[in-house]
Amino acid sequence: MRTYFISKVLAVLILAAFLSSCAVVAVGGVAAGASVMADRRPPAVQAIDKGIGLEVENALDKKFGDSAHINVTSFNQKVLLTGEVKDASIKEQAGAYAKANKNVRSVFNELVVGPNSTYTSRANDSYLESKIKTQMIFTDKLPSNSMEIVAEGSSVYLMGILTQNESAIAKKVASNIDGVKDVYAYFDSISEAEKARLEKQGKADESQPNTMPKQ
Protein backbone atom coordinates (compact mmCIF):
# COMPACT_ATOMS: atom_id res chain seq x y z
CA MET A 1 0.00 0.00 0.00
CA ARG A 2 2.78 2.44 0.93
CA THR A 3 4.66 1.64 -2.29
CA TYR A 4 1.51 2.32 -4.31
CA PHE A 5 1.00 5.67 -2.56
CA ILE A 6 4.60 6.77 -3.16
CA SER A 7 4.34 5.77 -6.82
CA LYS A 8 1.23 7.89 -7.24
CA VAL A 9 2.86 10.92 -5.62
CA LEU A 10 5.91 10.57 -7.87
CA ALA A 11 3.66 10.31 -10.89
CA VAL A 12 1.94 13.55 -9.92
CA LEU A 13 5.25 15.39 -9.53
CA ILE A 14 6.64 14.12 -12.83
CA LEU A 15 3.45 14.97 -14.70
CA ALA A 16 3.27 18.44 -13.16
CA ALA A 17 6.84 19.14 -14.28
CA PHE A 18 6.03 17.87 -17.77
CA LEU A 19 2.93 20.05 -18.08
CA SER A 20 4.81 23.10 -16.81
CA SER A 21 7.59 22.61 -19.36
CA CYS A 22 5.03 22.27 -22.14
CA ALA A 23 3.41 25.55 -21.17
CA VAL A 24 6.56 27.59 -21.69
CA VAL A 25 7.76 26.13 -24.98
CA ALA A 26 7.61 28.86 -27.61
CA VAL A 27 9.77 30.74 -30.06
CA GLY A 28 11.46 34.10 -29.57
CA GLY A 29 9.74 36.97 -27.81
CA VAL A 30 6.22 35.53 -27.66
CA ALA A 31 6.95 32.77 -25.13
CA ALA A 32 5.45 34.49 -22.10
CA GLY A 33 2.42 35.86 -23.96
CA ALA A 34 1.46 32.55 -25.58
CA SER A 35 0.50 30.76 -22.36
CA VAL A 36 -1.54 33.78 -21.24
CA MET A 37 -3.44 34.30 -24.47
CA ALA A 38 -4.34 30.62 -24.79
CA ASP A 39 -6.78 31.41 -21.98
CA ARG A 40 -10.13 32.84 -23.09
CA ARG A 41 -10.17 35.24 -20.14
CA PRO A 42 -8.63 38.68 -20.72
CA PRO A 43 -5.20 38.99 -19.05
CA ALA A 44 -6.67 41.49 -16.57
CA VAL A 45 -9.30 38.96 -15.45
CA GLN A 46 -6.65 36.25 -15.12
CA ALA A 47 -4.75 38.54 -12.77
CA ILE A 48 -7.91 39.32 -10.80
CA ASP A 49 -8.63 35.60 -10.43
CA LYS A 50 -5.17 34.96 -9.04
CA GLY A 51 -5.63 37.81 -6.58
CA ILE A 52 -9.02 36.51 -5.45
CA GLY A 53 -7.66 33.01 -4.88
CA LEU A 54 -4.69 34.17 -2.83
CA GLU A 55 -6.60 36.73 -0.79
CA VAL A 56 -9.62 34.60 0.07
CA GLU A 57 -7.69 31.39 0.77
CA ASN A 58 -5.13 33.12 3.00
CA ALA A 59 -7.84 34.96 4.92
CA LEU A 60 -9.91 31.83 5.51
CA ASP A 61 -6.87 29.83 6.55
CA LYS A 62 -5.93 32.51 9.06
CA LYS A 63 -9.49 32.82 10.36
CA PHE A 64 -10.31 29.13 10.81
CA GLY A 65 -6.92 27.42 11.16
CA ASP A 66 -7.15 23.68 11.81
CA SER A 67 -10.95 23.88 12.01
CA ALA A 68 -11.09 23.84 8.24
CA HIS A 69 -9.28 22.77 5.10
CA ILE A 70 -10.51 25.14 2.40
CA ASN A 71 -9.36 25.35 -1.21
CA VAL A 72 -10.31 28.46 -3.19
CA THR A 73 -10.48 28.39 -6.99
CA SER A 74 -11.39 31.49 -8.96
CA PHE A 75 -12.12 31.47 -12.69
CA ASN A 76 -13.63 34.41 -14.55
CA GLN A 77 -14.37 35.94 -11.13
CA LYS A 78 -16.51 32.97 -10.09
CA VAL A 79 -15.28 31.32 -6.90
CA LEU A 80 -15.41 27.64 -5.99
CA LEU A 81 -14.88 26.59 -2.38
CA THR A 82 -13.94 22.96 -1.79
CA GLY A 83 -12.61 21.03 1.17
CA GLU A 84 -13.79 20.27 4.68
CA VAL A 85 -15.00 22.36 7.63
CA LYS A 86 -15.69 21.50 11.25
CA ASP A 87 -19.31 22.68 11.23
CA ALA A 88 -22.03 24.30 9.12
CA SER A 89 -21.35 27.72 10.66
CA ILE A 90 -17.81 27.78 9.26
CA LYS A 91 -19.11 26.74 5.85
CA GLU A 92 -21.59 29.62 5.88
CA GLN A 93 -19.00 32.14 7.07
CA ALA A 94 -16.50 31.04 4.41
CA GLY A 95 -19.09 31.42 1.66
CA ALA A 96 -20.14 34.85 2.94
CA TYR A 97 -16.53 36.06 3.10
CA ALA A 98 -15.83 34.97 -0.48
CA LYS A 99 -19.05 36.54 -1.73
CA ALA A 100 -18.20 39.86 -0.04
CA ASN A 101 -15.05 40.26 -2.13
CA LYS A 102 -15.67 43.16 -4.51
CA ASN A 103 -14.21 41.27 -7.49
CA VAL A 104 -16.28 38.10 -7.04
CA ARG A 105 -19.32 37.58 -9.29
CA SER A 106 -20.65 34.41 -7.69
CA VAL A 107 -19.68 31.68 -5.21
CA PHE A 108 -20.15 27.91 -5.40
CA ASN A 109 -19.84 26.63 -1.85
CA GLU A 110 -19.03 22.91 -2.06
CA LEU A 111 -17.45 22.66 1.40
CA VAL A 112 -18.24 19.44 3.25
CA VAL A 113 -18.90 19.35 6.99
CA GLY A 114 -16.57 16.74 8.43
CA PRO A 115 -12.97 16.03 9.46
CA ASN A 116 -10.13 17.42 7.38
CA SER A 117 -9.02 15.14 4.56
CA THR A 118 -5.88 13.06 4.99
CA TYR A 119 -2.68 13.65 3.05
CA THR A 120 -3.30 10.37 1.27
CA SER A 121 -6.71 11.58 0.11
CA ARG A 122 -5.24 14.89 -1.07
CA ALA A 123 -2.49 13.10 -2.98
CA ASN A 124 -5.11 10.96 -4.67
CA ASP A 125 -7.06 14.08 -5.66
CA SER A 126 -3.91 15.64 -7.12
CA TYR A 127 -3.30 12.46 -9.06
CA LEU A 128 -6.87 12.56 -10.43
CA GLU A 129 -6.46 16.20 -11.46
CA SER A 130 -3.26 15.37 -13.32
CA LYS A 131 -4.87 12.45 -15.15
CA ILE A 132 -7.85 14.57 -16.19
CA LYS A 133 -5.70 17.52 -17.30
CA THR A 134 -3.53 15.21 -19.38
CA GLN A 135 -6.57 13.68 -21.06
CA MET A 136 -8.05 17.12 -21.70
CA ILE A 137 -4.82 18.32 -23.34
CA PHE A 138 -4.87 15.41 -25.78
CA THR A 139 -8.61 15.68 -26.52
CA ASP A 140 -9.33 17.33 -29.85
CA LYS A 141 -11.40 20.54 -29.91
CA LEU A 142 -11.17 21.08 -26.16
CA PRO A 143 -9.65 24.35 -24.82
CA SER A 144 -7.83 22.82 -21.86
CA ASN A 145 -5.93 26.06 -21.21
CA SER A 146 -9.22 27.86 -20.59
CA MET A 147 -10.40 25.54 -17.83
CA GLU A 148 -9.85 24.86 -14.14
CA ILE A 149 -10.04 21.29 -12.89
CA VAL A 150 -10.43 20.63 -9.17
CA ALA A 151 -10.65 17.21 -7.53
CA GLU A 152 -11.82 16.95 -3.93
CA GLY A 153 -12.70 13.66 -2.30
CA SER A 154 -12.73 12.00 -5.74
CA SER A 155 -15.42 14.44 -6.92
CA VAL A 156 -14.38 16.65 -9.83
CA TYR A 157 -15.34 20.28 -10.38
CA LEU A 158 -14.90 21.94 -13.77
CA MET A 159 -14.79 25.68 -14.47
CA GLY A 160 -14.13 27.46 -17.73
CA ILE A 161 -15.41 29.40 -20.72
CA LEU A 162 -16.77 26.84 -23.19
CA THR A 163 -19.39 26.29 -25.87
CA GLN A 164 -22.14 23.77 -25.19
CA ASN A 165 -20.38 21.18 -27.33
CA GLU A 166 -17.06 21.72 -25.55
CA SER A 167 -18.81 21.48 -22.19
CA ALA A 168 -20.30 18.12 -23.08
CA ILE A 169 -16.90 16.80 -24.21
CA ALA A 170 -15.17 18.04 -21.06
CA LYS A 171 -17.73 16.45 -18.75
CA LYS A 172 -17.52 13.17 -20.64
CA VAL A 173 -13.71 13.12 -20.47
CA ALA A 174 -13.70 13.75 -16.73
CA SER A 175 -16.44 11.20 -16.07
CA ASN A 176 -14.53 8.48 -17.93
CA ILE A 177 -11.39 8.81 -15.79
CA ASP A 178 -10.97 5.87 -13.44
CA GLY A 179 -11.43 6.89 -9.82
CA VAL A 180 -13.74 9.86 -10.44
CA LYS A 181 -16.89 9.68 -8.33
CA ASP A 182 -18.93 12.67 -9.53
CA VAL A 183 -18.46 15.54 -12.00
CA TYR A 184 -19.84 19.04 -11.42
CA ALA A 185 -19.54 21.71 -14.12
CA TYR A 186 -19.68 25.47 -13.52
CA PHE A 187 -18.95 26.71 -17.03
CA ASP A 188 -19.57 30.13 -18.54
CA SER A 189 -21.32 29.23 -21.77
CA ILE A 190 -20.45 31.01 -25.03
CA SER A 191 -21.70 30.71 -28.60
CA GLU A 192 -19.68 29.33 -31.49
CA ALA A 193 -19.46 32.88 -32.86
CA GLU A 194 -18.02 34.16 -29.58
CA LYS A 195 -15.58 31.25 -29.52
CA ALA A 196 -14.35 32.18 -33.01
CA ARG A 197 -13.97 35.83 -31.96
CA LEU A 198 -11.97 34.93 -28.85
CA GLU A 199 -9.70 32.57 -30.79
CA LYS A 200 -9.10 35.21 -33.47
CA GLN A 201 -8.31 37.80 -30.80
CA GLY A 202 -5.97 35.39 -29.03
CA LYS A 203 -4.01 34.65 -32.22
CA ALA A 204 -3.73 38.36 -32.98
CA ASP A 205 -2.39 39.09 -29.51
CA GLU A 206 0.08 36.21 -29.66
CA SER A 207 1.54 37.63 -32.87
CA GLN A 208 2.51 40.82 -31.07
CA PRO A 209 5.95 41.04 -29.42
CA ASN A 210 5.93 41.22 -25.64
CA THR A 211 9.26 43.03 -25.35
CA MET A 212 10.26 46.59 -26.16
CA PRO A 213 11.81 47.01 -29.63
CA LYS A 214 15.53 47.77 -29.73
CA GLN A 215 16.37 51.42 -30.30
Side-chain angles (χ1 to χ4, degrees), residues 132-150:
I132 296 169
K133 287 176 182 177
T134 302
Q135 190 61 48
M136 295 283 193
I137 288 172
F138 292 104
T139 298
D140 190 31
K141 298 181 180 179
L142 196 58
S144 57
N145 283 341
S146 195
M147 295 175 58
E148 284 287 348
I149 301 165
V150 178

Side-chain angles (χ1 to χ4, degrees), residues 140-172:
D140 190 31
K141 298 181 180 179
L142 196 58
S144 57
N145 283 341
S146 195
M147 295 175 58
E148 284 287 348
I149 301 165
V150 178
E152 193 79 49
S154 297
S155 290
V156 173
Y157 304 88
L158 306 175
M159 303 177 77
I161 302 174
L162 280 70
T163 65
Q164 288 188 346
N165 183 56
E166 290 170 340
S167 299
I169 295 172
K171 287 185 282 188
K172 183 176 181 180

